[in-house]
Amino acid sequence: MTNPAPVDAIEPSSERALITSIIAGDRDKFHLLIRPYERQIYRTALALVKNESEAEDVVQDAVLKAYRKLASFRGDARFSTWLIAITLNEARGRLRKENRTTFDSLDERSEESGDYTPAALTDWREVPLAALERREIRALIQQAVSELPETYREIVTLRDVEELSVNETATLLGISVSLVKVRLHRARMMLQRKLVPQLRLTAKPEPKRRIFGRLSWL
Amino acid sequence: MALSCRHVWDRISEYIDDTLDAQVRADVERHLAHCEICSAILDSTRNIIIFMADDRVFELPLDFSKRLHARLDDVLQHEYPEPREIGPY
Ligand SMILES: [Zn+2]
């Protein structure tokens, strides 16, 4: 294990106390403050930059910025939300600087009338969580998320990977709750359509004879 | 109201998040009770959502935390947080 086990979020009141003492000079406590959120902001960064080492750079820069700007944190938002907002900004700034667009040319009208047909399989069997022990199953999910258009990738990352509420997601992305719901639905349907046939094929117990041979992403 | 499969598909995400109003929810449930296709779509979508939230899927790179805190230490040694300002956040 090279990364410490995930740390539970600190109680909001102790978190505020922690922030006060860091600003008052107890600087080392900043380590404790961010530990519970490392994974969350890494996933946020990864949703935008799509490359692990770049996402790591974004997280480091965002965390340093959060430290320097800590006195500007207003207690009315959650610290985690503030930290995610800084991370989104850092990632977007980096994309802008390199002239990589941060917007898909999403046509809002096509969002309203999009016609997604889900993968319909009546013989679907639940894939148990234990299947995630298998690298190829994890890779399928990572790849499906990374291939979503950016707008959908952001939504699904905040809402389904990080499990933020619809309201928090809307605040962070600066869009309405109803647009979050529309895009989230589209994103989930795209993932369903892509992943269901793949999971059905891959998550089955190892066949005695390898009919399909090596699959291309392995 | 009897819903078509297409109508049910359009509501699957909100059904899972439990944000449909009671009447629509009841209509969706009535449809699901007898439609195998929609039930399978619901179950598989939910399955995928549960997978995405699992920590094992998007793991931190090796030694990510160590590097982050080392870099942070560097700054913490030499800098205090900036005085409060009206910033962008
Ligand atoms: Zn149906």
Side-chain angles (χ1 to χ4, degrees):
Chain A
M1 188 96 196
T2 61
N3 285 298
V7 179
D8 286 339
I10 309 166
E11 284 283 305
S13 57
S14 5
E15 200 165 75
R16 277 194 297 277
L18 203 51
I19 292 170
T20 307
S21 64
I22 294 163
I23 293 170
D26 205 348
R27 294 175 278 177
D28 272 345
K29 284 193 175 156
F30 191 75
H31 289 291
L32 296 176
L33 182 64
I34 59 146
R35 273 208 198 275
Y37 309 117
E38 289 172 20
R39 277 159 201 273
Q40 203 169 20
I41 55 180
Y42 171 71
R43 290 168 187 161
T44 302
L46 193 61
L48 274 95
V49 298
K50 287 179 84 177
N51 162 319
E52 292 191 355
S53 71
E54 208 179 350
E56 181 167 347
D57 289 345
V58 167
V59 168
Q60 292 190 1
D61 290 349
V63 164
L64 294 184
K65 181 167 259 174
Y67 173 70
R68 291 177 176 131
K69 300 283 177 197
L70 191 60
S72 313
F73 169 65
R74 301 188 313 271
D76 51 353
R78 285 170 25 167
F79 179 72
S80 60
T81 311
W82 186 70
L83 198 54
I84 293 169
I86 293 177
T87 308
L88 285 171
N89 259 330
E90 282 296 313
R92 292 204 173 110
R94 187 175 288 245
L95 296 179
R96 260 197 311 275
K97 213 180 295 166
E98 292 165 16
N99 250 338
R100 281 144 70 187
T101 175
T102 64
F103 300 101
D104 299 308
S105 49
L106 259 192
D107 184 343
E108 300 266 333
R109 278 164 308 160
S110 79
E111 285 195 83
E112 290 310 316
S113 61
D115 199 14
Y116 288 98
T117 305
L121 300 158
T122 49
D123 64 344
W124 172 261
R125 295 266 166 69
E126 194 190 331
V127 181
L129 273 174
L132 290 178
E133 292 300 327
R134 292 169 56 191
R135 175 184 293 275
E136 71 265 39
I137 301 284
R138 299 196 298 269
L140 282 179
I141 297 163
Q142 289 162 6
Q143 195 185 336
V145 172
S146 77
E147 284 172 4
L148 289 172
E150 181 180 312
T151 309
Y152 296 115
R153 205 166 60 236
E154 279 178 16
I155 292 266
V156 116
T157 299
L158 294 177
R159 178 77 182 111
D160 287 339
V161 178
E162 299 178 22
E163 298 182 278
L164 301 182
S165 70
V166 168
N167 285 322
E168 239 182 322
T169 305
T171 305
L172 279 164
L173 297 177
I175 58 178
S176 69
V177 165
S178 60
L179 193 53
V180 168
K181 287 181 181 171
V182 170
R183 289 183 178 169
L184 181 63
H185 177 69
R186 288 289 146 70
R188 286 168 167 178
M189 288 298 107
M190 287 182 210
L191 290 170
Q192 194 271 359
R193 187 157 76 170
K194 170 156 228 155
L195 277 170
V196 159
Q198 295 178 340
L199 285 173
R200 200 172 66 129
L201 195 68
T202 314
K204 277 194 300 193
E206 283 286 291
K208 287 205 177 72
R209 258 184 327 128
R210 282 196 154 268
I211 300 165
F212 301 104
R214 300 294 286 176
L215 296 168
S216 58
W217 60 78
L218 292 176
Chain B
M1 189 182 103
L3 297 177
S4 68
C5 290
R6 161 68 58 192
H7 279 112
V8 170
W9 299 346
D10 287 344
R11 288 165 178 80
I12 281 200
S13 182
E14 287 215 66
Y15 180 83
I16 290 171
D17 286 344
D18 200 8
T19 54
L20 292 172
D21 66 54
Q23 182 57 54
V24 180
R25 186 171 183 85
D27 291 340
V28 170
E29 260 157 17
R30 211 170 314 121
H31 180 101
L32 287 169
H34 67 77
C35 181
E36 268 187 72
I37 291 176
C38 288
S39 300
I41 291 168
L42 171 68
D43 290 346
S44 56
T45 306
R46 201 184 256 143
N47 207 171
I48 287 165
I49 291 172
I50 289 169
F51 274 13
M52 282 194 288
D54 194 287
D55 272 346
R56 287 170 288 186
V57 176
F58 294 95
E59 280 179 311
L60 293 176
L62 220 64
D63 289 331
F64 172 94
S65 216
K66 211 163 104 185
R67 288 189 296 272
L68 172 62
H69 288 275
R71 176 142 181 235
L72 190 52
D73 248 339
D74 248 19
V75 172
L76 294 182
Q77 302 294 321
H78 305 107
E79 288 182 40
Y80 285 94
E82 294 166 11
R84 183 170 195 149
E85 51 165 289
I86 311 299
Y89 305 112

